[in-house]
Amino acid sequence: MTTQSLDALSVFVTVAREGNFTRAAAHLGVSPSAVSQTMRGLEERLGVRLLTRTTRSVTRTEAGEKLLREIAPLLDEIDAHLSAVADLRDRPAGIVRITADEYAARYVLWPRLLALLDKYPEITVELVTDYGLTDIAAERCDAGVRLGGILAADMVAVPIVKQVRMVTVASPKYLARYSVPATPNDLTSHRCINLRLPTHGGLYAWEFERNGEESRVRVDGPLIMNSVIQILDACLAGVGLAQIPDGLAQPHLDSGELQEVLTDWSEPFPGYYLYYPSRRQQTAAFRVVLDALRDGAPL
């Protein structure tokens, strides 16, 4: 196989995974026209159409599906072997790609990565924000960070935060105007700020537990957002009640800007884990990042 053919196959896999020429070009660091030209050349050499293009999307043909299924693992394996060779350098280097939800990326990962990036300037960490349980192999991520209750069984899971509490909070101004809810069911008559999960499109159901009794409440209100940071800002402004991670709320509870309600219905649950495929070869850069993120690692 020539270097040109290998490059063309790499371009094809990137376009097929991204489903978009512009995003693929950005990922590869080339122009969309160069990507398009490479794909045309590959299809001409193979004598078969691999992708169906429209003005809005790119989809794989049957031949494209077959080629992606067979060639993508081989290219990933080549990348892994090249990374292993690169590990023979004196210092860890390379890109480590991690997917995490917004709160974990900002409040769990970032404080621990800050010192690492200064200590290892040749390591680049790419954080991809996503609320779903991303297929990290398909998305070419090295690892993901999610709550312990939603991890796939075939993944290695390393705890990075032991426990998390979701707290229900509101501003003193809101509570003075609308009263304090005494039970989770009281929330149905309150103004609540909803979170829409970007991956699934549904609204997050507020969850409560007290002495083994569980309750899930579908709330309503004037705002629906897809960011817990936006929800916090709206809650601070007195728009309504919000349910957010305790680490996000705590500084504002300490300052008196927010008050917690239904405290006895807020019990801790398994916290954040970093998960990655058990069969994936680890680079030196990944091992450094993993050690920095483990629960108990110094901040």
Side-chain angles (χ1 to χ4, degrees):
M1 179 183 293
T2 66
T3 301
Q4 184 180 19
S5 297
L6 192 60
D7 289 343
L9 289 172
S10 180
V11 169
F12 161 70
V13 169
T14 303
V15 174
R17 283 171 165 166
E18 294 290 340
N20 181 283
F21 275 77
T22 301
R23 288 198 299 268
H27 181 85
L28 294 167
V30 299
S31 67
S33 60
V35 171
S36 181
Q37 183 177 354
T38 299
M39 282 306 309
R40 281 197 302 270
L42 178 61
E43 289 176 328
E44 287 173 2
R45 288 200 300 277
L46 295 176
V48 64
R49 183 175 291 278
L50 301 172
L51 301 170
T52 300
R53 306 157 177 81
T54 69
T55 55
R56 295 191 175 184
S57 65
V58 175
T59 57
R60 300 184 288 270
T61 64
E62 182 179 357
E65 288 282 3
K66 184 176 187 299
L67 183 61
L68 179 66
R69 187 168 57 249
E70 294 179 355
I71 205 69
L74 298 177
L75 292 178
D76 289 342
E77 188 175 349
I78 290 172
D79 284 342
H81 285 300
L82 291 176
S83 296
V85 172
D87 281 350
L88 298 176
R89 291 182 293 191
D90 293 336
R91 291 175 57 82
I95 297 176
V96 178
R97 196 164 187 253
I98 302 174
T99 171
D101 66 42
E102 180 184 34
Y103 172 76
R106 183 167 179 174
Y107 292 94
V108 177
L109 301 185
W110 174 239
R112 300 183 186 190
L113 291 174
L114 184 58
L116 177 145
L117 296 176
D118 185 54
K119 185 177 179 180
Y120 296 96
E122 294 178 322
I123 292 179
T124 298
V125 178
E126 181 176 354
L127 289 179
V128 181
T129 303
D130 180 14
Y131 279 89
L133 189 60
T134 301
D135 183 342
I136 55 179
E139 297 299 324
R140 305 194 77 179
C141 290
D142 296 287
V145 173
R146 292 295 183 273
L147 293 171
I150 59 173
L151 294 177
D154 60 343
M155 293 287 170
V156 176
V158 178
I160 58 176
V161 174
K162 280 191 173 68
Q163 291 184 324
V164 173
R165 266 198 329 128
M166 294 297 289
V167 294
T168 306
V169 294
S171 69
K173 179 175 70 173
Y174 174 87
L175 294 175
R177 181 177 179 184
Y178 291 100
S179 77
V180 177
T183 70
N185 286 335
D186 291 346
L187 295 172
T188 58
S189 60
H190 272 269
R191 293 161 58 91
C192 299
I193 307 167
N194 263 306
L195 171 67
R196 186 176 296 283
L197 300 174
T199 302
H200 306 293
L203 297 181
Y204 168 72
W206 291 19
E207 299 180 356
F208 301 90
E209 183 176 355
R210 183 179 66 177
N211 300 325
E213 179 186 354
E214 297 182 0
S215 177
R216 289 168 59 90
V217 180
R218 295 286 180 181
V219 298
D220 198 4
L223 273 178
I224 299 173
M225 295 174 158
N226 67 354
S227 160
V228 292
I229 310 302
Q230 294 173 350
I231 288 175
L232 171 64
D233 290 341
C235 187
L236 288 167
V239 172
L241 286 147
Q243 191 173 78
I244 57 178
D246 55 350
L248 183 60
Q250 195 59 55
H252 306 285
L253 294 171
D254 293 341
S255 69
E257 296 173 283
L258 294 177
Q259 292 178 216
E260 184 178 357
V261 301
L262 302 173
T263 305
D264 56 338
W265 281 92
S266 176
E267 295 189 358
F269 53 88
Y272 282 99
Y273 286 74
L274 183 139
Y275 66 97
Y276 57 91
S278 57
R279 292 171 293 180
R280 185 160 191 156
Q281 186 171 359
Q282 296 179 14
T283 65
F286 178 78
R287 291 193 295 272
V288 167
V289 172
L290 176 60
D291 288 342
L293 296 179
R294 287 180 190 275
D295 183 52
L299 294 178

